[in-house]
Amino acid sequence: MALNAKQPFTMPAALQEPKFSSLHASAEAMRRVCLPAPQLQGNIFGSFDESLLARAEALAAVDIAPHAKGHPHHHHHPPFKQDSAFSAMSGVPCAAAARPLPAALPHPLPRPALDGGDLLEHLSSPLAVGGLPEQLPPPLLPPAAPLALPVGAPGGPPPPAAPEAASDPRELEAFAERFKQRRVRLGVTQADVGAALAALQLPGVGALSQSTICRFESLTLSHNNMAALRPVLQAWLDGAEAAHRDRAAGPDLLPGAERKRKRTSIAAPEKRSLEAFFALQPRPSAEKIAAIAEKLDLKKNVVRVWFCNQRQKQKRMKYSAVH
DNA sequence: ATGCATGAGTC
DNA sequence: ACTCATGCATA
């Protein structure tokens, strides 16, 4: 039990500026306010639920018609090493919407980037009235943009001077790339970085997983998450490069081996259906989730979590159009 | 690199 | 019961 004293990573004091914390709070509040109307659907067409399910299933069905014989088997994967040398692999298939700057003002929501684009194209029936839940008008940036962007200094990548620049998506992207590059140069893996973070003993900062480091480098984290992690990773990088110059250090790394959690895998056909449902209704009620779960023969909780993760995916950083 | 999951904080 | 930050397990 003393193997890893993992703390839930509370942001360091320096990062807990009201700016961020209040954003978290208000972001949700605002989202709620902006939401059209939770369940104003099921009344017009009576048994809307079934229509929805049927519709989504139909959509999912046409998708597979061509050749797939209901064989949820996948295979053919390129060999993959977790080593830093292989981190160059960059897929990121899912488009996502970037969050507008949190610092300036509580922006409304990101435009959901459609994952199942094709599916939506078929949706012009009146049944789609429930759609566009998170849709909202692009309010753009605040009229007053006193942002002095000193970052354009000729000579090279300027370190973040103003806090405004710290949360600039472009800055974050640039940093992420530099970070990865330098990390690789140091011959350190993503997992190593995560573990090394604990050794820095920054207040409130424990170790991070390979997953998180990977996601940081590939910008597949929320904007806020990226902004919060940046200073921490910067700190590690500084230390690591310093230690590299006068190589004298050699601490860290204590692996622990304990297995348990099992990861349920949702088969391709079911996944297609879920995606179809999601396109129609990203936020199904508990009842609908139950119905979907039954139709697909999945555990209700699995379906619920799937929808949560799907929504979270949409909110990840990664380029969108606001640049 | 990414899919499914957990847990804290909210509402 | 949701969002958000994270992580284990696995393709």
Side-chain angles (χ1 to χ4, degrees):
Chain A
M1 48 193 75
L3 279 173
N4 343 311
K6 294 196 181 174
Q7 325 161 280
F9 179 64
T10 42
M11 289 203 270
L15 291 172
Q16 295 197 313
E17 298 173 343
K19 190 160 86 179
F20 282 115
S21 30
S22 69
L23 170 79
H24 279 197
S26 59
E28 254 220 80
M30 178 197 55
R31 180 169 304 134
R32 225 179 316 286
V33 172
C34 292
L35 282 171
Q39 275 92 23
L40 72 165
Q41 354 166 181
N43 35 26
I44 309 181
F45 298 94
S47 54
F48 180 75
D49 284 15
E50 299 200 356
S51 299
L52 178 67
L53 294 176
R55 180 110 180 111
E57 286 195 325
L59 285 171
V62 282
D63 199 9
I64 37 178
H67 51 174
K69 214 47 178 181
H71 210 316
H73 224 102
H74 19 265
H75 32 254
H76 195 156
H77 282 280
F80 178 68
K81 261 173 77 177
Q82 207 103 307
D83 202 75
S84 50
F86 281 72
S87 326
M89 192 169 138
S90 59
V92 193
C94 56
R99 262 226 242 268
L101 293 188
L105 81 171
H107 260 333
L109 292 192
R111 278 273 307 106
L114 310 175
D115 251 333
D118 340 8
L119 288 171
L120 280 182
E121 309 220 294
H122 302 292
L123 299 176
S124 19
S125 76
L127 283 179
V129 287
L132 319 182
E134 306 228 313
Q135 172 89 273
L136 38 109
L140 296 177
L141 291 174
L147 294 183
L149 250 287
V151 258
E164 270 66 277
S167 57
D168 172 28
R170 307 211 70 100
E171 236 324 282
L172 289 171
E173 190 210 16
F175 176 76
E177 194 165 329
R178 262 182 296 145
F179 177 85
K180 178 175 184 174
Q181 187 101 52
R182 295 163 78 179
R183 188 206 92 215
V184 170
R185 193 120 208 304
L186 289 170
V188 181
T189 67
Q190 296 171 332
D192 289 340
V193 175
L197 252 33
L200 287 184
Q201 300 211 302
L202 291 171
V205 181
L208 288 178
S209 67
Q210 172 264 328
S211 305
T212 301
I213 303 303
C214 172
R215 283 167 177 151
F216 180 87
E217 292 183 349
S218 59
L219 298 160
T220 44
L221 289 175
S222 70
H223 180 170
N224 274 351
N225 205 357
M226 289 291 295
L229 254 34
R230 190 172 70 101
V232 175
L233 294 180
Q234 173 102 63
W236 171 79
L237 194 54
D238 291 344
E241 296 194 316
H244 190 261
R245 281 192 288 282
D246 51 271
R247 24 178 122 173
D252 67 53
L253 297 201
L254 12 155
E258 287 176 56
R259 306 263 142 111
K260 37 179 141 183
R261 187 195 293 176
K262 262 319 173 207
R263 182 173 128 188
T264 60
S265 184
I266 301 175
E270 282 70 37
K271 214 172 294 195
R272 277 184 227 108
S273 295
L274 287 171
E275 279 159 9
F277 287 128
F278 189 81
L280 286 165
Q281 177 54 263
R283 316 174 70 86
S285 65
E287 286 69 41
K288 278 176 190 163
I289 288 180
I292 292 170
E294 199 168 333
K295 289 252 183 189
L296 301 182
D297 192 40
L298 292 171
K299 282 189 284 187
K300 188 193 168 189
N301 211 48
V302 169
V303 174
R304 186 180 57 72
V305 170
W306 187 88
F307 273 90
C308 285
N309 283 324
Q310 209 60 28
R311 277 178 239 125
Q312 196 165 22
K313 248 176 152 183
Q314 288 190 147
K315 294 179 177 171
R316 282 177 189 163
M317 219 190 156
K318 201 61 184 175
Y319 276 58
S320 69
V322 245
H323 298 89

